[in-house]
Amino acid sequence: MLRLIYNIVLRELLILRRNHIYMFCMVAFPILVLFFFTSLMDDGLPQQMPVGVVDLDNTSTTRSLIRRLDAFQMTRVVAHYPNVTEARHAIQNNQIYAFLYIPKGTTDALLSSRQPKISYYYSYTTLAAGALLMKDLKTISTLGSAAVGQATLLAKGATDEQIQTLLQPIRVDLHQIANPWTSYNVYLTTMIVPGMMMLFIFLISAYSLGTELKFDTSKQWLKMANNRMVPALLGKFLPQTLIFLAVVYIYEWYVFYHLGFPHHGSPFMLLLIGFIQVLSAQGFGIFVFGLMPSLRMSMSVCSLWGVLSFSMAGSAFPVMGMDAPLQSLSWLFPLRHYYMLYQICVFNGYPLLEAWFHFVALSAFMLLPWFVIQKLKNAMLNYVYIP
């Protein structure tokens, strides 16, 4: 059996060398995706997002408020508008993401304790920009009232401790676990890049089987394995497995050690999660082709499943917030289980026992080809390729 596998491995190495699609999809594109996403979100959070101001009061107090807003890391005041209508049009034309409205008489009302109202408007068309700018605008509004309150209390002779107690009766002690920088790079790259790699593995697994039918080499392939599917599959996918493992481990080294992404898992856990990621994705791709032995249909299903994985993984939108049928459906996506393994065992450093269910689920994806191995053999021997 080892001799059969060895001969098929040599055959596959020649195929990988002749067909440049393999090298592009197995090495070039995954590496390109890795550097693209890590450099795209290199700052961690969006910086200097454009904001407008409608300052109808135009006093030293409101100008100081605007300067403080402009000093925030994520906010840049790019324009002053004479009225709300023009500022609203600027948001609708995507010139700014938000604007602060300060009505006339704000300073006088603030100094005389008449509780003035200032407003801020932000666009949630872009979710990240809207949420981050809302936080900055809310903070600057609170700081403005606190500054006036502090000056008033100082004039009345209050001590710093009394002022702090009156302005902030409850102090919030905030702890952001594992990602204190709120870096988008940390929690998006670690889902998108592995998801893209799993998508490439899905497609290449289905493509390599489909081309055996397309180029009428399936019978020759099985003949080299004495018509036994197990050595045929092992010999065919062993070179691909080793190449994909090398790419995945390069990704893990680059992200967790070179870029310093937070990780509390051991190096062994990183090796294990990368190993089962590759094998589960290959098992799923082989299984899909076994269900529908057609190059076009199997690759279409793999593409659809890979793209849907990004929504069902639970990174952008939590699975527990989805409808019950979608929560059940999420268990059918390998990326969901990979992401949970990463969160539990790598990001938070818990032992593998805490994520045993997701490990077993990925192992089940790895073993899926056993259920279609006879149908796959029948297809390779008897099916005729239909474009």
Side-chain angles (χ1 to χ4, degrees):
M1 186 173 179
L2 291 177
R3 172 62 63 179
L4 297 177
I5 294 174
Y6 176 75
N7 292 334
I8 296 173
V9 166
L10 294 180
R11 171 183 181 269
E12 293 303 315
L13 290 175
L14 291 175
I15 293 176
L16 296 180
R17 182 181 176 183
R18 288 198 305 264
N19 193 339
H20 299 300
I21 290 179
Y22 287 103
M23 286 300 104
F24 276 108
C25 292
M26 296 169 64
V27 179
F29 291 154
I31 296 296
L32 179 64
V33 166
L34 169 61
F35 287 109
F36 173 77
F37 280 104
T38 51
S39 59
L40 177 67
M41 297 178 286
D42 185 52
D43 293 329
L45 285 173
Q47 308 289 326
Q48 299 294 304
M49 290 180 286
V51 171
V53 173
V54 180
D55 185 7
L56 301 183
D57 201 32
N58 196 24
T59 63
S60 59
T61 301
T62 59
R63 289 194 295 271
S64 174
L65 204 66
I66 294 168
R67 285 194 297 272
R68 291 184 183 183
L69 177 63
D70 191 40
F72 284 176
Q73 185 178 9
M74 289 176 285
T75 304
R76 180 165 62 96
V77 177
V78 296
H80 289 71
Y81 300 97
N83 52 60
V84 173
T85 302
E86 291 193 16
R88 179 171 57 83
H89 286 322
I91 286 185
Q92 292 172 337
N93 292 329
N94 290 323
Q95 298 173 1
I96 57 175
Y97 288 117
F99 69 89
L100 180 67
Y101 170 59
I102 305 175
K104 190 172 181 60
T106 297
T107 304
D108 292 339
L110 193 61
L111 294 175
S112 58
S113 302
R114 293 201 306 268
Q115 199 177 22
K117 292 182 179 179
I118 65 174
S119 307
Y120 48 85
Y121 299 81
Y122 52 95
S123 171
Y124 249 140
T125 304
T126 306
L127 188 62
L132 295 172
L133 288 178
M134 183 272 290
K135 179 182 176 182
D136 282 1
L137 291 168
K138 184 178 180 180
T139 301
I140 201 64
S141 302
T142 305
L143 289 176
S145 61
V148 175
Q150 182 183 22
T152 304
L153 291 171
L154 281 173
K156 293 180 179 180
T159 64
D160 290 340
E161 186 176 350
Q162 291 172 332
I163 292 172
Q164 188 176 7
T165 304
L166 289 171
L167 294 180
Q168 192 179 17
I170 300 175
R171 179 182 295 176
V172 177
D173 191 10
L174 179 64
H175 298 274
Q176 296 183 170
I177 304 299
N179 187 9
W181 316 276
T182 321
S183 172
Y184 278 60
N185 206 1
V186 167
Y187 84 84
L188 279 181
T189 298
T190 51
M191 184 274 294
I192 292 178
V193 175
M196 292 294 293
M197 289 183 177
M198 293 180 84
L199 175 60
F200 287 128
I201 297 173
F202 290 168
L203 293 173
I204 285 296
S205 299
Y207 174 79
S208 59
L209 292 173
T211 50
E212 296 288 352
L213 289 177
K214 179 178 181 179
F215 299 120
D216 197 23
T217 56
S218 56
K219 294 182 178 64
Q220 175 198 0
W221 170 46
L222 285 183
K223 184 179 180 180
M224 293 182 65
N226 290 339
N227 287 332
R228 298 164 61 187
M229 282 303 299
V230 172
L233 288 174
L234 288 176
K236 186 169 190 62
F237 286 98
L238 182 58
Q240 297 181 22
T241 302
L242 295 177
I243 294 173
F244 277 123
L245 279 175
V247 172
V248 167
Y249 290 150
I250 289 172
Y251 151 77
E252 291 182 344
W253 172 84
Y254 181 74
V255 165
F256 295 113
Y257 291 96
H258 181 72
L259 297 182
F261 279 27
H263 66 285
H264 302 284
S266 64
F268 169 76
M269 184 58 64
L270 290 174
L271 294 175
L272 178 62
I273 197 174
F275 179 75
I276 198 168
Q277 171 194 356
V278 171
L279 291 187
S280 62
Q282 284 186 317
F284 182 82
I286 298 170
F287 174 73
V288 170
F289 186 86
L291 285 181
M292 45 193 75
S294 165
L295 177 62
R296 179 177 57 188
M297 286 299 299
S298 59
M299 292 190 69
S300 298
V301 171
C302 287
S303 300
L304 175 64
W305 216 251
V307 171
L308 288 178
S309 297
F310 296 108
S311 299
M312 304 303 294
S315 174
F317 190 88
V319 171
M320 65 182 68
M322 299 179 184
D323 293 336
L326 292 179
Q327 292 187 32
S328 302
L329 185 64
S330 68
W331 298 108
L332 302 180
F333 292 85
L335 182 60
R336 166 63 179 169
H337 301 287
Y338 166 84
Y339 183 65
M340 292 303 295
L341 268 177
Y342 159 73
Q343 272 196 325
I344 296 171
C345 299
V346 177
F347 197 64
N348 291 308
Y350 290 107
L352 185 61
L353 186 63
E354 299 291 336
W356 68 269
F357 182 83
H358 301 286
F359 184 82
V360 170
L362 284 179
S363 301
F365 280 108
M366 183 173 60
L367 298 174
L368 280 179
W370 286 106
F371 295 97
V372 295
I373 195 166
Q374 194 58 42
K375 184 176 180 181
L376 188 59
K377 179 179 180 180
N378 181 55
M380 292 299 168
L381 292 175
N382 303 312
Y383 280 27
V384 176
Y385 176 74
I386 300 177

